Amino acid sequence: MSGVSLRGIQKRYGQTEIIRGIDLEIADGEFMVFVGPSGCGKSTLLRMIAGLEDITAGELLIGGRRANDIRPADRGVAMVFQSYALYPHMTVAENMGFALRMAGVGKAERETQVGRAAEVLRLSHLLPRYPKELSGGQRQRVAIGRAIVRKPQVFLFDEPLSNLDASLRVDMRIELSRLHAELGTTMIYVTHDQVEAMTLGHRIALFNQGLIEQCGAPLELYQRPSGAFTAGFLGTPRINLISRPQDDASTALKALWAACVPQEQRLVCQIGLRPEHIGVCAHRSDAAQAAIELVEQLGDCAILHLRVAGLDDLLRARLDTRDAQALGDLSPGRALSLEPDAAKTLRFGEQGRLLPDA
Ligand SMILES: Nc1ncnc2c1ncn2[C@@H]1O[C@H](COP(=O)(O)OP(=O)(O)OP(=O)(O)O)[C@@H](O)[C@H]1O
Ligand SMILES: [Mg+2]
């Protein structure tokens, strides 16, 4: 087992800079998640660690050893991709043992190793089957099994669950957490699914255009985002980002701002208000007013999409179902008053950086 160090890592294709200087220490046994919008460079960086892409500048260490020029097969890493690409003419057992056979490992030893990996992945009963006889989730487990038998020091996953349906993804997420607890191997996991990022990672590295925007424990990023980009990326429904109202802004918008920033602070350029931190009541004359545009009933809670005069985006508020029901009529156009939680409001200054609590 071993950690991974990225020091000043850069990637250019011709003149185009894709990875613009990454410094990151991934501890031995850590579960690190790379997350970020499409095209920000997550897969590129993962492929650089795997040795599938050259490193333009900087240093990569795996287990304390400089790995920039080590051949992919000798880096001690195993990668699992989104498309599992199993050999269709081989059984599950043969697929899983393929790398060992190529490496000249004998039949008995192969069977032992494959058997052990199959047990960990609860695939033992499927070993004689062919890929076409498996469900999507089972195929992806075989692909992970193929990686496990190689006994890598580091697992690299590139969106391994994105081809699976919603409920299978949840199951596989739990399987992966269990697998990590059992193997204790360093894992680097790329996803753009924020629920996967929040639930799987010891730490999350959030990427933005080839740079790490913020890296830390999932709750740290959620509760103390370094800036508006992080705040806007994590959380469903998305956080409400509201810019300081101009002097000629609507009464509602000014009232909303004043409720969130009670002592006027000139440094605050923008606020972030999580949907769960907006209370709504029937009518309070001193509060900001809003009108219902749409209500999504999710069973345990309701998401209210509210029109606030002068605000371009709809405001998203999340209420417990019972609180939503207590409001009575929730049809479009109904006027409501907003009660944001000022203490939970995130305040951003210049360049969208988080300001310390007032
Ligand atoms: N061979 C290449 N030549 C030139 N540009 C490339 C090459 N491969 C990737 N890129 C560019 O590098 C950027 C990062 O791509 P990458 O695949 O790493 O993104 P990603 O974060 O994994 O996105 P996604 O979430 O969509 O998978 C993209 O703008 C992409 O177009
Ligand atoms: Mg990708």
Side-chain angles (χ1 to χ4, degrees):
M1 280 194 278
S2 52
V4 175
S5 306
L6 307 174
R7 302 189 178 153
I9 295 283
Q10 295 179 29
K11 178 72 185 178
R12 275 189 296 274
Y13 291 109
Q15 293 303 305
T16 321
E17 221 181 350
I18 304 293
I19 301 290
R20 299 191 290 146
I22 298 288
D23 291 287
L24 187 64
E25 295 292 324
I26 300 165
D28 185 9
E30 186 168 12
F31 200 130
M32 169 63 79
V33 172
F34 290 174
V35 72
S38 186
C40 66
K42 307 176 296 289
S43 296
T44 304
L45 186 59
L46 201 71
R47 293 169 57 81
M48 287 162 83
I49 297 169
L52 305 174
E53 298 280 355
D54 290 338
I55 296 171
T56 310
E59 205 171 32
L60 166 70
L61 281 76
I62 298 174
R65 192 167 62 129
R66 187 184 148 94
N68 290 48
D69 306 314
I70 299 178
R71 290 192 317 140
D74 300 330
R75 289 191 186 193
V77 303
M79 188 147 165
V80 179
F81 299 89
Q82 175 181 347
S83 59
Y84 12 85
L86 302 176
Y87 298 111
H89 59 287
M90 290 186 196
T91 63
V92 167
E94 286 161 353
N95 264 287
M96 282 172 63
F98 185 69
L100 297 179
R101 188 152 67 93
M102 288 295 106
V105 176
K107 187 162 184 276
E109 176 61 17
R110 281 203 315 265
E111 278 175 4
T112 311
Q113 306 258 10
V114 168
R116 211 172 287 150
E119 231 166 80
V120 171
L121 289 163
R122 302 175 196 182
L123 284 172
S124 306
H125 61 298
L126 300 174
L127 287 174
R129 292 224 197 146
Y130 286 90
K132 66 172 192 301
E133 302 165 332
L134 302 176
S135 75
Q138 289 165 343
R139 281 179 216 170
Q140 192 53 286
R141 293 221 298 276
V142 176
I144 295 169
R146 245 183 349 195
I148 289 180
V149 296
R150 296 178 51 199
K151 296 219 176 79
Q153 298 180 314
V154 181
F155 280 101
L156 306 174
F157 293 99
D158 194 355
E159 310 226 24
L161 309 187
S162 49
N163 281 344
L164 306 179
D165 71 34
S167 78
L168 252 179
R169 289 176 75 124
V170 176
D171 293 347
M172 281 302 292
R173 223 165 63 211
I174 294 164
E175 291 281 314
L176 279 169
S177 285
R178 195 179 54 81
L179 185 70
H180 180 258
E182 223 165 295
L183 301 176
T185 312
T186 311
M187 294 188 175
I188 308 178
Y189 188 99
V190 167
T191 180
H192 56 241
D193 181 319
Q194 50 158 312
V195 178
E196 278 176 26
M198 291 294 292
T199 53
L200 283 172
H202 290 151
R203 279 193 300 161
I204 295 176
L206 174 60
F207 285 73
N208 184 10
Q209 297 183 14
L211 287 172
I212 294 180
E213 178 79 17
Q214 188 174 1
C215 180
L219 273 184
E220 190 182 322
L221 264 67
Y222 189 80
Q223 292 169 339
R224 305 293 306 159
S226 61
F229 180 84
T230 307
F233 194 83
L234 294 176
T236 29
R238 228 157 53 77
I239 195 168
N240 299 287
L241 291 171
I242 302 165
S243 299
R244 169 181 286 281
Q246 307 283 328
D247 290 340
D248 60 353
S250 69
T251 319
L253 196 50
K254 283 181 177 164
L256 178 59
W257 183 270
C260 296
V261 190
Q263 290 97 31
E264 177 53 306
Q265 299 161 292
R266 293 310 304 178
L267 286 177
V268 183
C269 300
Q270 194 182 38
I271 55 171
L273 202 51
R274 298 249 180 235
E276 62 267 35
H277 299 148
I278 302 180
V280 173
C281 67
H283 183 72
R284 236 183 65 192
S285 55
D286 60 334
Q289 307 301 313
I292 294 178
E293 184 96 6
L294 173 81
V295 176
E296 294 174 289
Q297 296 282 6
L298 298 182
D300 60 330
C301 69
I303 312 296
L304 276 56
H305 298 263
L306 304 163
R307 171 83 53 205
V308 177
L311 196 64
D312 291 341
D313 297 330
L314 294 174
L315 197 75
R316 296 168 289 277
R318 182 161 76 207
L319 271 62
D320 284 344
T321 298
R322 214 180 298 168
D323 294 339
Q325 281 173 335
L327 288 169
D329 175 28
L330 292 178
S331 45
R334 161 93 193 272
L336 293 166
S337 298
L338 303 175
E339 296 182 313
D341 186 340
K344 301 258 171 66
T345 301
L346 298 169
R347 300 169 178 83
F348 303 107
E350 301 251 349
Q351 268 116 42
R353 293 290 107 191
L354 186 74
L355 295 170
D357 287 330

